[in-house]
Amino acid sequence: MNEHVSPDLIVEPGGADTKPATVKGGVHTPTNHDSAHKHVTGRAIYADDMALPEGALHAYLGLSTVASGTITSVDLSAVRAAPGVVGVLTARDMPASNDISPTHLHDEPVLADGEIHFHGQPVFAVIATSRDAARRAATKANISYAEAPFARTVDEAREQGLGLVTKPLTLERGNAQAGLAAAPRRIKGRYTIGGQDHLYLEGHIAVAIPGEDDDMTVTSSTQHPSEVQHMVAHVLGVPSAAVTVNVRRMGGGFGGKETQSNQFAAIAAVAARKFGVAVKIRPDRDDDMITTGKRHDFVVDYDVGFDETGRIEAVDATFAARCGFSADLSGPVTDRALFHADNTYYYPHVRLQSEPLKTNTVSNTAFRGFGGPQGLVVAERIIEEIAYALGEDPLTIRKRNFYGPKDDPEGRNITPYHQTVTDNIIERIVAELEQSSDYHARRDAILAFNARSPIIRKGIALTPVKFGISFTATWYNQAGALVHVYRDGSVHLNHGGTEMGQGLNTKVAQVVAETFQIDIDRVKITATTTDKVPNTSATAASSGSDLNGMAADNAANQIKDRLIDFAAEHYQVSREQVVFEPNVVRVGNQRIPFPDLVDQAYLKRIHLSAAGFYKTPDIHWDRDKGTGRPFYYFAYGAAVSEVSIDTLTGEYHVDRTDLLHDVGKSLNPAIDTGQVEGAFIQGLGWLTTEELWWDDKGRLRTHAPSTYKIPLASDRPAIFNTELVAWSVNQERTIRRSKAVGEPPFMLAASVVEALSMAVASVANYSVCPRLDTPCTPERILMAVERLKSDAA
């Protein structure tokens, strides 16, 4: 008997097997979010909860009061003389660079330098002994401007010829013009799609603490710590290795903290370097909303040809986006809008073009779905146009245009960007949802109800989702992780992803726990930091679990392999006889507690730490040619929504929604279900209640929860059924065969728009597809109803 093994752990031949069935918190189990109890009790530590070092200062931004023009004079004497003020930063105070552009275009300054591009652009930063003092002092500036004309919308940008902020994209297959000319039926239309503010619970914040030499440590509420690290280093003129960025958690991000954190971190770091003490910056909600980018709003002109059965033969569409004054992420966002303009539908001939227009508004940025939702709702609008033109149920037209299977004999499985759809499961999902939601009987009942109801009208719609998963910038599809196993068998986990409430840390910890076959409470989740895992990608594109889970699994398996080699040699058994079981390791005919085996390995000088790495295979993209395989796989889903509208006021309610969504083999069904429901509600807000509005001076007027309406608890569907597709397993080799869940279900909310469209169309006996732009506010519903009544009269 080995001296390290207790007699009661010997497994006698033919003896009872006493191992636990599973580890606690392994993958595919509904495990609690690691910080859920901290969130509800207030014990979760966010950046604003950190204790500041003695002598710390606070920064606040001074904003422009015109939408476009040139600064003619600046008098900040009253600002500097205000109580508590230590100093003021302007563009001239940036040590090495005044640029924080995430692109090669270098078109986004830290602070305005002569030119003003939008109302509310940061011009200076006050540094004071308290946040209140800095905020009050920022109002005392005396700045004069030579004002210039400005553009707030797509149409104004076109009229004024402001041009594009970045290079456009064209996706083309077949001959769209010839296909349109030959099609038996043809429809042209325009669809205006509104933007959206992120309205994360925790606003932007950064704390910078200077160290010796050039060192700078920054705590930032960011989805992209490595980019913040790079930008701070760039502005300070120091190597990236001198800057460490830490992120324990964010109170929401949704894409709004992918690039927008750069400015706040840079200002805090410059002030910390200049004054030699810690500096914190946290704008209030109004200034946060004024100075940070939104979801892009689009104006889409489309031309579609189809046959008498409703099958699409050709599509030609131009997607014009209001991008703001600089490129930011508008290039890839407008690209992804084109990538998803087909949704689940095959277009035999197609040409899709982007038009990323410059405007005198804050530069728009990433937002959950990253342009994909804007493309998808256009696809659904096209289907609706065809259905109303033919007098058909839109679901019938949807199904007739679905992509075919992998081996489709007609070749109906090629996207506009020439990627073959090999994992299509949308027909099965839709069929299951049709049955489980009792769609057809309910639609018949709604038609009967509308025929006898003079004021209240109802609508129902079933819409599908196909969403591509991967960064289209191929180099971002990589991740790193660091795993340590300590002598007591506890595990330290660090990875390059960031936790913003979506449960990423919990999922990655589940993966590590499963790999080692230990309970999840033995895995310590630690803050994301650039000095542990370098060169990380943003936590975005729904790829956080895919990338970081695989990297962590890679690191854990390196250590596991070493432990297997050690055990096989130490106990003189084959590697195949070393098996990790729940919280123990079976070595031959013995079971050794995991901590005991780890301790033995340590005593034999086995390396118990590993850096893991993963890069997504088999993806490539040639933007100039508009061809490639930008997505590793697709996530699918479908939704049925039923609504009621008041035709006298435009007021409406979502009466019922049924969701069926594909997450592959779910890593954590509880977290994934929450993500599906949360995404749907956020999508519902984008499409129905959330409206951005600028006045005639270029001022954003919807800059606080008092003027900007996100969905409330009362806005959720009265009946809300959510199911994950139980049988789906990712065909590709993803982490435990799961699929991404962050962005795809956002687009399930398109079902609400099309249900509203049916309710409105009922006033004209469903003979016309209503002109119903988003957001579908009560005002727009009422105007659409009145327009149809007027046309009918």
Side-chain angles (χ1 to χ4, degrees):
M1 184 185 302
N2 188 282
E3 61 181 353
H4 296 294
V5 182
S6 302
D8 61 345
L9 292 172
I10 299 293
V11 179
E12 300 295 343
D17 190 347
T18 59
K19 70 174 184 177
T22 58
V23 297
K24 296 177 182 177
V27 296
H28 312 313
T29 61
T31 303
N32 288 342
H33 190 295
D34 75 289
S35 295
H37 62 292
K38 301 175 189 175
H39 293 160
V40 299
T41 59
R43 290 167 50 211
I45 303 298
Y46 293 89
D48 202 32
D49 300 314
M50 292 173 49
L52 295 176
E54 186 175 355
L57 300 174
H58 298 260
Y60 206 84
L61 297 175
L63 310 181
S64 70
T65 57
V66 300
S68 178
T70 305
I71 297 174
T72 57
S73 66
V74 178
D75 181 1
L76 300 178
S77 58
V79 177
R80 292 187 171 91
V85 172
V86 174
V88 177
L89 299 180
T90 66
R92 299 179 199 173
D93 294 296
M94 300 301 111
S97 174
N98 189 40
D99 174 58
I100 49 167
S101 170
T103 71
H104 66 282
L105 298 175
H106 307 296
D107 57 356
E108 190 162 348
V110 180
L111 296 170
D113 188 10
E115 295 295 321
I116 297 298
H117 300 285
F118 70 96
H119 198 293
Q121 183 176 357
V123 178
F124 62 92
V126 185
I127 315 301
T129 54
S130 71
R131 181 175 178 277
D132 182 65
R135 188 173 181 232
R136 291 177 183 276
T139 65
K140 299 180 180 297
N142 185 5
I143 303 176
S144 298
Y145 307 91
E147 295 189 53
F150 57 88
R152 301 161 297 177
T153 67
V154 164
D155 288 340
E156 289 177 356
R158 284 170 165 169
E159 290 169 6
Q160 295 186 28
L162 295 188
L164 308 179
V165 295
T166 191
K167 185 179 178 181
L169 173 68
T170 298
L171 299 181
E172 192 164 12
R173 197 193 65 252
N175 188 323
Q177 289 306 307
L180 287 168
R185 304 285 293 268
R186 188 168 175 177
I187 291 175
K188 293 183 179 182
R190 167 173 280 204
Y191 199 32
T192 299
I193 306 160
Q196 185 179 24
D197 191 271
H198 303 85
L199 214 85
Y200 22 64
L201 289 177
E202 176 203 33
H204 279 283
I205 184 170
V207 180
I209 302 176
E212 63 182 16
D213 301 324
D214 291 328
D215 290 354
M216 185 68 65
T217 300
V218 179
T219 297
S220 174
S221 187
T222 180
Q223 295 172 235
H224 202 342
S226 287
E227 183 167 279
V228 170
Q229 175 193 30
H230 173 72
M231 290 298 176
V232 168
H234 176 64
V235 171
L236 292 178
V238 301
S240 290
V243 179
T244 299
V245 177
N246 299 320
V247 184
R248 173 58 182 95
R249 60 172 58 85
M250 287 167 278
F254 312 117
K257 296 176 180 177
E258 185 171 344
T259 62
Q260 304 292 283
S261 306
N262 297 339
Q263 183 171 49
F264 302 99
I267 288 171
V270 170
R273 171 66 65 233
K274 181 171 184 176
F275 298 105
V277 295
V279 174
K280 176 178 177 178
I281 182 169
R282 176 176 64 81
D284 64 17
R285 177 66 65 178
D286 298 78
D287 286 355
D288 189 305
M289 293 180 74
I290 289 169
T291 61
T292 61
K294 324 295 179 192
R295 179 185 295 280
H296 292 68
D297 43 90
F298 279 73
V299 174
V300 183
D301 293 290
Y302 54 86
D303 190 350
V304 56
F306 55 99
D307 66 18
E308 297 297 342
T309 71
R311 266 204 173 188
I312 295 171
E313 297 193 356
V315 173
D316 189 358
T318 299
F319 288 70
R322 181 186 62 80
C323 296
F325 81 94
S326 67
D328 194 80
L329 296 174
S330 290
V333 166
T334 52
D335 287 1
R336 192 171 279 255
L338 302 192
F339 285 133
H340 291 83
D342 57 338
N343 193 18
T344 56
Y345 311 118
Y346 174 68
Y347 300 156
H349 299 279
V350 57
R351 181 176 64 182
L352 306 171
Q353 298 173 293
S354 69
E355 189 179 0
L357 288 161
K358 183 175 183 177
T359 54
N360 295 113
T361 53
V362 63
S363 288
N364 286 326
T365 190
F367 202 129
R368 196 175 195 168
F370 206 78
Q374 293 94 315
L376 181 145
V377 296
V378 173
E380 296 308 312
R381 181 81 327 203
I382 286 173
I383 293 292
E384 295 282 317
E385 292 265 29
I386 296 171
Y388 283 102
L390 298 177
E392 294 264 20
D393 178 351
L395 179 58
T396 301
I397 305 303
R398 289 186 167 92
K399 291 194 287 187
R400 285 177 185 163
N401 285 285
F402 280 163
Y403 275 106
K406 178 180 180 180
D407 55 354
D408 187 77
E410 297 182 59
R412 294 176 59 86
N413 55 9
I414 308 297
T415 67
Y417 41 95
H418 299 263
Q419 176 170 343
T420 301
V421 180
T422 61
D423 60 1
N424 188 11
I425 57 175
I426 195 59
E427 286 193 23
R428 182 175 176 184
I429 290 175
V430 167
E432 288 188 9
L433 187 59
E434 276 184 89
Q435 183 176 8
S436 65
S437 68
D438 202 18
Y439 169 81
H440 293 287
R442 289 167 57 199
R443 188 172 193 274
D444 289 342
I446 285 171
L447 291 171
F449 174 88
N450 288 344
R452 64 177 183 268
S453 177
I455 297 173
I456 303 301
R457 296 295 176 92
K458 292 181 177 290
I460 189 171
L462 192 161
T463 60
V465 167
K466 174 178 77 41
F467 191 80
I469 304 299
S470 291
F471 287 97
T472 50
T474 305
W475 58 90
Y476 280 140
N477 294 288
Q478 60 175 302
L482 184 63
V483 174
H484 304 316
V485 178
Y486 294 100
R487 289 185 65 180
D488 65 353
S490 63
V491 176
H492 172 110
L493 166 64
N494 192 271
H495 59 85
T498 55
E499 175 63 51
M500 62 192 92
Q502 83 279 39
L504 173 62
N505 282 346
T506 302
K507 285 186 172 182
V508 179
Q510 286 180 273
V511 169
V512 172
E514 185 80 14
T515 301
F516 286 126
Q517 283 292 290
I518 59 176
D519 293 342
I520 195 171
D521 60 11
R522 300 292 291 166
V523 180
K524 173 66 176 176
I525 301 167
T526 58
T528 307
T529 179
T530 56
D531 64 1
K532 284 186 177 178
V533 177
N535 305 317
T536 58
S537 299
T539 303
S542 300
S543 60
S545 296
D546 282 7
L547 296 177
N548 296 287
M550 290 292 270
D553 192 47
N554 175 259
N557 273 305
Q558 291 178 49
I559 300 170
K560 184 178 179 179
D561 285 343
R562 294 177 203 147
L563 288 172
I564 291 173
D565 288 340
F566 160 73
E569 180 181 358
H570 188 67
Y571 289 98
Q572 296 299 294
V573 298
S574 68
R575 290 185 95 257
E576 291 71 24
Q577 290 177 284
V578 181
V579 181
F580 281 64
E581 297 177 346
N583 297 306
V584 299
V585 182
R586 185 196 290 266
V587 183
N589 69 340
Q590 308 172 62
R591 282 207 189 95
I592 305 170
F594 179 76
D596 290 1
L597 184 67
V598 167
D599 193 53
Q600 294 168 27
Y602 165 76
L603 293 173
K604 294 298 183 179
R605 298 183 293 178
I606 303 301
H607 187 34
L608 298 173
S609 177
F613 181 76
Y614 173 76
K615 61 179 180 179
T616 308
D618 305 324
I619 54 174
H620 55 91
W621 171 241
D622 187 328
R623 190 177 188 274
D624 291 333
K625 294 181 180 179
T627 63
R629 187 193 179 190
F631 303 121
Y632 191 36
Y633 63 88
F634 296 97
Y636 298 86
V640 176
S641 289
E642 181 178 333
V643 303
S644 299
I645 70 169
D646 185 326
T647 59
L648 298 182
T649 66
E651 186 180 6
Y652 56 85
H653 299 281
V654 182
D655 301 320
R656 175 176 169 180
T657 291
D658 295 71
L659 308 178
L660 181 59
H661 196 72
D662 163 36
V663 296
K665 194 171 183 182
S666 174
L667 288 176
N668 187 321
I671 285 177
D672 285 349
T673 299
Q675 283 289 289
V676 171
E677 292 178 344
F680 173 84
I681 294 298
Q682 191 174 45
L684 175 67
W686 167 53
L687 292 171
T688 62
T689 67
E690 299 182 40
E691 187 171 24
L692 300 169
W693 191 76
W694 283 262
D695 67 14
D696 56 7
K697 293 186 177 180
R699 298 177 296 185
L700 178 68
R701 305 306 286 176
T702 49
H703 54 74
S706 59
T707 53
Y708 184 81
K709 189 183 185 305
I710 63 170
L712 306 175
S714 57
D715 293 316
R716 69 184 294 276
I719 300 172
F720 197 12
N721 301 315
T722 304
E723 295 290 338
L724 304 180
V725 178
W727 43 264
S728 178
V729 175
N730 200 334
Q731 296 176 12
E732 301 295 345
R733 189 177 174 271
T734 55
I735 188 66
R736 304 297 193 271
R737 300 293 181 174
S738 64
K739 287 188 178 183
V741 69
E743 294 173 310
F746 182 93
M747 284 150 281
L748 296 171
S751 59
V752 175
V753 173
E754 305 313 346
L756 290 169
S757 184
M758 177 185 175
V760 172
S762 70
V763 304
N765 199 28
Y766 314 102
S767 61
V768 179
C769 184
R771 300 296 92 201
L772 195 57
D773 294 331
T774 70
C776 301
T777 59
E779 294 91 337
R780 282 203 172 98
I781 297 291
L782 182 59
M783 287 189 289
V785 166
E786 293 298 322
R787 191 179 302 118
L788 287 185
K789 287 181 178 179
S790 175
D791 291 344

